[in-house]
Amino acid sequence: MQQLLTRLNIDGFDAESYFNNNAQNTSALPNIAIAVSGGGYRACLNGAGAFQAFDSREENSTTAGHLGGLLQSATYFAGLSGGGWLVGSIFVNNFTTISGLLNDETSTVWEFGNSIFEGPATNGIQVLNSGEYYNNIYDAVEAKADNGFDTTITDYWGRALSFQLINATNGGPNYTWSSIALQDSFSSGSAPMPILVTDGRAPGELLVDGSGTVYEFNPWEFGTNDPTVFGFVPLEFLGSNFSEGVLPEDEKCVRGFDNAGYVMGTSSSLFNQFLLEINTTNIPSVFKSALTKALGDVGSDNNDIADYSPNPFFGYNNQSSTVAQSKTLTLVDGGEDLQNIPLQPLIQPSRNVDTIFAVDSSADTNYNWPNGTSLVATYQRSLNVTGIANHTSFPAIPDQNTFVNMGLNTRPVFFGCNSSNTTNMTPLIVYIPNSPYVFYSNVSTFDPSYNDTERDAIVENGYHVATMANGTTDSQWPTCVGCAILSRSLERTGTTVPQVCQQCYSKYCWDGTTNSTRPTSYNPTSTLTPVKVSSGNGLRSHGFVLLGFVLCIVFLIS
């Protein structure tokens, strides 16, 4: 971080002296996190652009105007749903780079030209025919069922995702989320802690509101700080038959339940409907029958549920837990409560995060651009009278109409600049909304395929979004990023805020002004000259909304 802050050229701030003076009190130094929103492949690829921009391992990322090193300075990196695919693909593949994932010569993943319906391809060649692909998925899920575990459509979805995201034979069926803790990059502190977010939802419940339980997967644990459960279980032993917070002596430890694909599928279970849209003769009948049975077991209203039975929190915190008396625990897509940016794990007081870089690829508007809905949902949850916030604090956020009317969804904005406005110390939120710089990246959440030029264009656009076109739209932006990182630390140490940082706060901090009148339809134009992409599946154009997969699920399997 010292190198990053030195490079960001904050006039009046000596990074070396600051770090040396506080070397014996590391809690005084900045603690930052990155969060990438959900939103299908759009979120995965736009978030990838930001990740690439923040990664000092990428070529030219540490030159003037760039932000390389921010990733290496972060303590946490959180994602959900499509953003969770990004987090998972990076960390399960041994903390790889975006360039590594995009390299068609060395990588067998991120070949999104072949949709998840078709199976994997390498260099344009179909590796498995569709029948073999689906039989492979079926066999893996059946093996889980044969070991006595309940399975749902999420199991099939997670296995299918793995073929696209995990660079291993057959999508790495033995790869687990807990194995990330064994990687040298993680154990040495070279990589931030990856966190995936999912929501709790019992069978029969159709909505997850602001008082629902938000769970997290990190390499060590699964659980939640929410008072509805307030507990964690060692992730490596998820699937074991815990009772009252311990494993009875007559029960065996289970390993492997935290399959990496299943974890990513759980956080993105909204996309189970992809599999429910299959209607082709290439699909083996046994696979169709398995999906039909899985849907019949839970009902069509619960097709997005992931079953985590036996419930690891059975009998735990009986007086306050909403799931303590249930033998089952069911989870759904982490964005179903409208908190589409995974902020809950990062605002926990115990983590002491100062600044969160929140990359928003949500499709809130008619043209699939964000309008701050996720931040609004998290702010409203922090005020919830049920106590679900559990002493977390979040800065004030304006309504969605204000975001559009005042252009707060067109550029980076800082929320929570004045910490004195909150009772508890609140992280500064650096909001980075998806916006067209060199490509109209407002593609449909439910579009299943992208050729390589489209894929790369969305990533490139995301890089420009995070860096403000490498500082060309505002040469002061890299410096202002440094000021955002330092904000809470300067306050803790009583250090005078450099004048350039005061300028940055004046420029990027939301000043509390609102305009809640109904805005006109938001349909922005590109900031820079658009890149050209080749024609193919789903060619994108300005203002085009691909309907493709609608939210109303049509069960087409015969």
Side-chain angles (χ1 to χ4, degrees):
M1 182 178 287
Q2 179 181 321
Q3 293 179 345
L4 171 66
L5 292 173
T6 299
R7 195 169 59 250
L8 294 181
N9 193 28
I10 304 172
D11 190 34
F13 176 76
D14 185 337
E16 182 178 4
S17 295
Y18 189 78
F19 276 74
N20 288 340
N21 292 340
N22 292 285
Q24 303 304 314
N25 182 21
T26 55
S27 63
L29 297 174
N31 182 19
I32 67 174
I34 302 167
V36 288
S37 80
Y41 293 100
R42 178 188 63 250
C44 177
L45 296 173
N46 182 62
F51 185 94
Q52 189 174 48
F54 296 157
D55 189 351
S56 62
R57 299 171 296 174
E58 295 283 3
E59 186 176 0
N60 297 323
S61 68
T62 58
T63 57
H66 296 252
L67 299 175
L70 194 154
L71 170 67
Q72 283 72 20
S73 301
T75 307
Y76 305 102
F77 183 54
L80 65 78
S81 202
W85 305 344
L86 169 66
V87 176
S89 196
I90 290 167
F91 282 86
V92 175
N93 291 310
N94 201 26
F95 193 52
T96 187
T97 63
I98 299 304
S99 293
L101 292 170
L102 297 177
N103 190 326
D104 294 328
E105 295 183 1
T106 60
S107 174
T108 61
V109 292
W110 286 42
E111 297 289 344
F112 300 139
N114 262 38
S115 81
I116 207 161
F117 303 128
E118 300 171 271
T122 301
N123 298 325
I125 301 173
Q126 185 88 10
V127 178
L128 301 173
N129 67 49
S130 294
E132 293 172 331
Y133 167 63
Y134 283 105
N135 277 329
N136 186 293
I137 293 172
Y138 171 80
D139 289 343
V141 176
E142 280 300 293
K144 180 178 178 179
D146 289 344
N147 279 285
F149 294 102
D150 295 331
T151 59
T152 61
I153 295 172
T154 305
D155 287 278
Y156 298 93
W157 170 240
R159 290 305 312 136
L161 274 177
S162 296
F163 278 88
Q164 289 195 329
L165 302 176
I166 299 177
N167 196 15
T169 302
N170 293 333
N174 295 320
Y175 283 42
T176 60
W177 196 259
S178 56
S179 67
I180 294 172
L182 304 177
Q183 296 175 7
D184 290 341
S185 58
F186 183 73
S187 60
S188 67
S190 301
M193 176 187 285
I195 299 174
L196 289 198
V197 167
T198 182
D199 291 339
R201 199 188 82 200
E205 293 180 359
L206 301 184
L207 295 174
V208 180
D209 61 21
S211 60
T213 304
V214 178
Y215 294 87
E216 69 171 76
F217 296 91
N218 66 59
W220 291 311
E221 298 175 310
F222 163 74
T224 179
N225 284 291
D226 288 351
T228 45
V229 176
F230 199 63
F232 284 83
V233 64
L235 183 63
E236 182 182 2
F237 303 115
L238 196 63
S240 303
N241 199 11
F242 289 93
S243 180
E244 298 181 355
V246 298
L247 190 65
E249 292 184 1
D250 59 345
E251 292 287 348
K252 294 181 179 180
C253 290
V254 171
R255 287 183 173 90
F257 191 95
D258 63 315
N259 173 273
Y262 188 52
V263 170
M264 289 187 281
T266 299
S267 182
S268 62
S269 67
L270 176 66
F271 294 87
N272 287 357
Q273 62 190 274
F274 269 10
L275 296 183
L276 300 183
E277 301 271 346
I278 297 170
N279 187 24
T280 172
T281 57
N282 294 329
I283 309 306
S285 59
V286 66
F287 187 85
K288 291 184 180 182
S289 297
L291 288 186
T292 302
K293 181 181 183 302
L295 188 66
D297 289 342
V298 298
S300 59
D301 289 336
N302 297 310
N303 57 53
D304 57 343
I305 275 178
D307 196 327
Y308 277 73
S309 304
N311 175 15
F313 305 111
F314 178 74
Y316 185 72
N317 283 343
N318 281 306
Q319 300 303 313
S320 57
S321 173
T322 58
V323 300
Q325 301 306 310
S326 175
K327 287 286 189 178
T328 63
L329 179 69
T330 48
L331 308 174
V332 294
D333 191 293
E336 288 201 18
D337 60 355
L338 298 183
Q339 295 187 93
N340 202 36
I341 306 175
L343 296 169
Q344 284 301 322
L346 307 178
I347 63 175
Q348 297 303 318
S350 61
R351 285 188 164 136
N352 298 302
V353 174
D354 294 323
T355 306
I356 303 173
F357 290 84
V359 180
D360 193 3
S361 307
S362 303
D364 301 324
T365 70
N366 290 338
Y367 290 105
N368 293 338
W369 301 108
N371 67 3
T373 291
S374 180
L375 293 188
V376 172
T378 302
Y379 175 53
Q380 291 175 341
R381 191 179 198 262
S382 73
L383 305 176
N384 195 303
V385 295
T386 65
I388 190 67
N390 200 22
H391 305 296
T392 58
S393 183
F394 199 73
I397 302 294
D399 61 274
Q400 293 93 324
N401 288 349
T402 294
F403 267 86
V404 177
N405 288 327
M406 299 190 65
L408 304 181
N409 64 333
T410 65
R411 60 177 181 84
V413 182
F414 300 170
F415 293 100
C417 292
N418 188 354
S419 65
S420 64
N421 288 338
T422 58
T423 303
N424 302 314
M425 182 60 78
T426 304
L428 177 72
I429 306 299
V430 179
Y431 180 62
I432 305 176
N434 184 25
S435 185
Y437 273 75
V438 295
F439 188 71
Y440 290 100
S441 52
N442 56 326
V443 295
S444 169
T445 303
F446 294 95
D447 195 339
S449 63
Y450 299 84
N451 66 45
D452 287 354
T453 63
E454 294 168 325
R455 176 198 67 183
D456 295 351
I458 299 175
V459 173
E460 181 181 349
N461 189 77
Y463 193 111
H464 284 301
V465 169
T467 62
M468 295 194 76
N470 305 324
T472 58
T473 57
D474 180 7
S475 60
Q476 204 174 40
W477 172 240
T479 298
C480 292
V481 167
C483 292
I485 291 171
L486 283 169
S487 176
R488 298 293 191 255
S489 179
L490 295 176
E491 186 175 341
R492 277 196 302 275
T493 58
T495 303
T496 301
V497 178
Q499 184 176 1
V500 68
C501 288
Q502 295 178 17
Q503 295 171 0
C504 287
Y505 300 152
S506 296
K507 182 184 299 185
Y508 286 102
C509 289
W510 176 55
D511 62 5
T513 304
T514 61
N515 179 355
S516 300
T517 59
R518 184 174 181 176
T520 57
S521 183
Y522 175 65
N523 194 15
T525 58
S526 60
T527 302
L528 305 176
T529 302
V531 297
K532 294 181 179 180
V533 299
S534 63
S535 60
N537 289 329
L539 182 64
R540 325 293 183 230
S541 61
H542 180 216
F544 179 68
V545 181
L546 182 65
L547 296 179
F549 293 89
V550 294
L551 287 175
C552 296
I553 298 169
V554 180
F555 189 53
L556 297 178
I557 302 174
S558 56

